[in-house]
Amino acid sequence: MVTNFEQVSKTLEEFDLEEQPSSVLEEKYPNLKVVQSAVKLVRTKEHLLQTEDGQTFHYRKLCICSGARPKLLTQDNPHVLGIRDTDSAQKFQKRLSKAKRIVVIGNGGIALELVYEVEGCEVIWAIKDKAIGNTFFDAGAAQFLIPSLGADKKDRSLPYKRARYATDKTGAGHSGASGELGSALGPDWHEGIELKGAVQNSSGVHVEYECAVDKLYTQQEFLQSKLNTNKSELGLWPAYVQLTNKKIYGCDFVVSATGVVPNTDPFLSGNNFKLAEDHGLRVNDHMRTSEQDVYAAGDVCTAGWDPSALWQQMRLWTQARQMGWYAARCMAADVLEEPIELDFCFELFSHITKFFNYKVVLLGKFNAQGLGQDHELLVRCTKGQEYVKVVLTGGRMVGAVLIGETDLEETFENLILNQMDLSRYGEELLNPNIDIEDYFD
């Protein structure tokens, strides 16, 4: 459940996520019934769905919010773990407690959080890009963050003013016997989970850039292979990873953090849903799919309308919440036959999170997405304290990355939304001796 919701600015939101038993919702909303079962099939022409536990439901309106599933390196390999829901996070914690070395594959949000949080275990981090955090950062921001991997962890006793996801002791939201996924983890999934390996006072992250996994071996497969020439150097491990840069690492297990795929499979058979290129359910600006009376929101869907010049879809908790809220309003408006306009949250991309214990705010075209060469960057960096980057096109701010306690997010949001011509200010825009908040107040 979303709790402690706070509207930080016009588009930026902070909230906590708490996993609670479904009975809490049913007690709060008497008209709500929660059924804990996977969907077996949907027949859109008949407006009905069946669940795996044998129940049949007829609907007037249906909203699919089934999220996404991990894009694992390989299926059914006991040495490969994906982290997606509470169960998988706890399984990871249990495996990690006995591990001396793990290999992490991927460069997204979960990989970034994981490599920083793990202690008492060596981490080999393989990424396909030239810099860490390529989904969120440019190379400059990556260089700002890299020293944090080897530094002592900062005091984390400070209160978190952002989305938190607590593990649930009642079993609510966990994967069922059929193996279906539980709800996706929030951005603070590691809070409350001790991520410590088996080696006391031993931690370190080694990054392998511009590579991917070429082949995975079990111990037996590796010992029988022709690659087993440096047995003493590589050591004896439960699993071995051969990367495309020809390097080989032994490890206790591999964490596959290589993104997600929209979880559409349960709904496609017998229906005519239009899918986007990324296999998400294509929705229009009222969150409707191509099937009558069926809506979708969150990671399972893909925006099929012409987006604002300052917004792009990313499969993040903040957008999932916004889409779900807007989809509910659209469904209600349709039933009441009332008009509804595209919500303001789709006007400007905005996201607050935390990486390497730094507050991170992303606004608009923060990585100059889709701008080609028609842009310029202004950067201000104070080592160990803050990294500020703004993206300008035609003298107008269209994006920003703020790392650290900059207190610039609301000012920059307004400058992006107002599209004020900033040409006359030049590099003075990021002059640390000028209080920009007062300047543009």
Side-chain angles (χ1 to χ4, degrees):
M1 291 178 62
V2 171
T3 61
N4 301 326
F5 177 81
E6 181 184 352
Q7 192 77 39
V8 178
S9 63
K10 289 179 182 177
T11 63
L12 284 165
E13 303 170 347
E14 289 184 322
F15 51 86
D16 294 335
L17 297 172
E18 293 182 8
E19 192 175 58
Q20 296 179 346
S22 57
S23 57
V24 172
L25 274 176
E26 292 178 322
E27 289 168 6
K28 190 174 182 179
Y29 304 103
N31 63 328
L32 177 66
K33 179 182 178 182
V34 179
V35 178
Q36 289 186 283
S37 178
V39 172
K40 185 178 180 181
L41 64 88
V42 173
R43 295 178 182 169
T44 58
K45 297 293 183 289
E46 300 169 52
H47 282 52
L48 70 80
L49 63 84
Q50 291 181 350
T51 57
E52 284 192 348
D53 62 5
Q55 298 184 74
T56 300
F57 297 93
H58 290 269
Y59 63 84
R60 183 175 177 186
K61 303 285 182 187
L62 173 67
C63 189
I64 298 173
C65 302
S66 55
R69 63 181 187 276
K71 192 162 52 180
L72 290 179
L73 292 166
T74 180
Q75 298 292 330
D76 302 320
N77 186 322
H79 299 299
V80 177
L81 292 182
I83 301 177
R84 175 63 183 171
D85 57 9
T86 315
D87 276 357
S88 58
Q90 291 177 333
K91 184 179 179 182
F92 168 70
Q93 178 193 16
K94 188 176 180 181
R95 292 279 294 270
L96 181 65
S97 66
K98 301 173 183 176
K100 296 179 180 179
R101 181 195 289 167
I102 63 172
V103 175
V104 177
I105 311 295
N107 201 16
I110 283 185
L112 281 165
E113 291 167 343
L114 188 147
V115 297
Y116 179 74
E117 294 293 333
V118 167
E119 297 177 351
C121 179
E122 184 184 1
V123 178
I124 308 297
W125 187 13
I127 63 175
K128 61 181 174 59
D129 309 297
K130 293 180 180 180
I132 66 168
N134 195 58
T135 307
F136 302 97
F137 308 124
D138 60 9
Q143 283 302 112
F144 171 82
L145 291 170
I146 275 287
S148 299
L149 288 177
D152 291 335
K153 301 296 188 290
K154 296 177 183 177
D155 179 18
R156 299 176 205 170
S157 61
L158 298 173
Y160 275 75
K161 283 193 66 184
R162 51 179 289 265
R164 166 133 347 139
Y165 191 90
T167 53
D168 173 38
K169 305 299 187 290
T170 66
H174 287 204
S175 303
S178 64
E180 73 270 14
L181 294 171
S183 53
L185 292 168
D188 272 322
W189 62 271
H190 47 75
E191 284 299 303
I193 299 180
E194 190 178 64
L195 298 182
K196 287 192 175 180
V199 184
Q200 215 168 17
N201 301 322
S202 173
S203 63
V205 179
H206 173 75
V207 186
E208 289 286 350
Y209 295 96
E210 296 184 85
C211 66
V213 172
D214 189 17
K215 196 165 184 180
L216 296 171
Y217 297 90
T218 63
Q219 185 184 99
Q220 185 178 2
E221 288 171 342
F222 186 76
L223 292 175
Q224 292 174 350
S225 73
K226 295 178 181 178
L227 297 169
N228 184 30
T229 55
N230 299 320
K231 189 186 300 183
S232 58
E233 184 181 328
L234 291 172
L236 203 59
W237 297 92
Y240 294 84
V241 179
Q242 182 178 4
L243 301 174
T244 51
N245 62 9
K246 306 302 180 186
K247 293 185 181 180
I248 300 171
Y249 290 98
C251 61
D252 289 287
F253 62 91
V254 178
V255 178
S256 178
T258 49
V260 296
V261 180
N263 191 28
T264 58
D265 289 354
F267 315 103
L268 301 183
S269 179
N271 300 311
N272 293 308
F273 285 108
K274 286 184 179 177
L275 299 182
E277 288 184 10
D278 61 7
H279 302 290
L281 296 174
R282 189 178 177 87
V283 294
N284 67 9
D285 59 359
H286 283 182
M287 306 309 291
R288 292 194 196 103
T289 69
S290 55
E291 290 285 21
Q292 187 178 4
D293 296 323
V294 181
Y295 298 71
D299 287 3
V300 74
C301 77
T302 302
W305 64 87
D306 290 331
S308 154
L310 301 170
W311 185 87
Q312 62 273 338
Q313 183 177 2
M314 291 182 73
R315 287 180 163 82
L316 302 165
W317 252 109
T318 44
Q319 283 197 351
R321 184 203 159 273
Q322 290 168 341
M323 284 183 168
W325 181 79
Y326 177 57
R329 291 181 60 226
C330 288
M331 293 167 76
D334 198 20
V335 169
L336 298 170
E337 297 182 349
E338 294 178 354
I340 186 170
E341 293 184 358
L342 187 65
D343 193 83
F344 187 76
C345 69
F346 300 107
E347 190 65 29
L348 172 68
F349 174 86
S350 58
H351 185 57
I352 299 180
T353 188
K354 201 166 194 134
F355 289 127
F356 296 9
N357 214 36
Y358 287 101
K359 177 182 177 181
V360 176
V361 177
L362 307 174
L363 294 170
K365 299 296 183 179
F366 60 91
N367 258 348
Q369 297 96 323
L371 298 181
Q373 300 299 314
D374 184 27
H375 70 276
E376 61 176 317
L377 305 177
L378 295 180
V379 177
R380 182 176 90 200
C381 181
T382 306
K383 187 176 180 181
Q385 186 176 334
E386 66 171 14
Y387 178 90
V388 178
K389 180 188 79 173
V390 298
V391 184
L392 300 166
T393 181
R396 290 169 169 79
M397 192 183 299
V398 293
V401 175
L402 308 173
I403 303 177
E405 297 296 334
T406 67
D407 293 325
L408 292 172
E409 51 266 28
E410 191 166 7
T411 301
F412 281 9
E413 179 196 61
N414 288 331
L415 288 175
I416 294 172
L417 287 170
N418 295 339
Q419 286 295 281
M420 177 181 176
D421 190 346
L422 303 170
S423 303
R424 56 189 275 204
Y425 302 103
E427 294 183 4
E428 288 296 296
L429 193 64
L430 294 187
N431 187 333
N433 298 318
I434 296 176
D435 193 337
I436 192 172
E437 294 175 83
D438 293 338
Y439 201 81
F440 291 106
D441 195 11

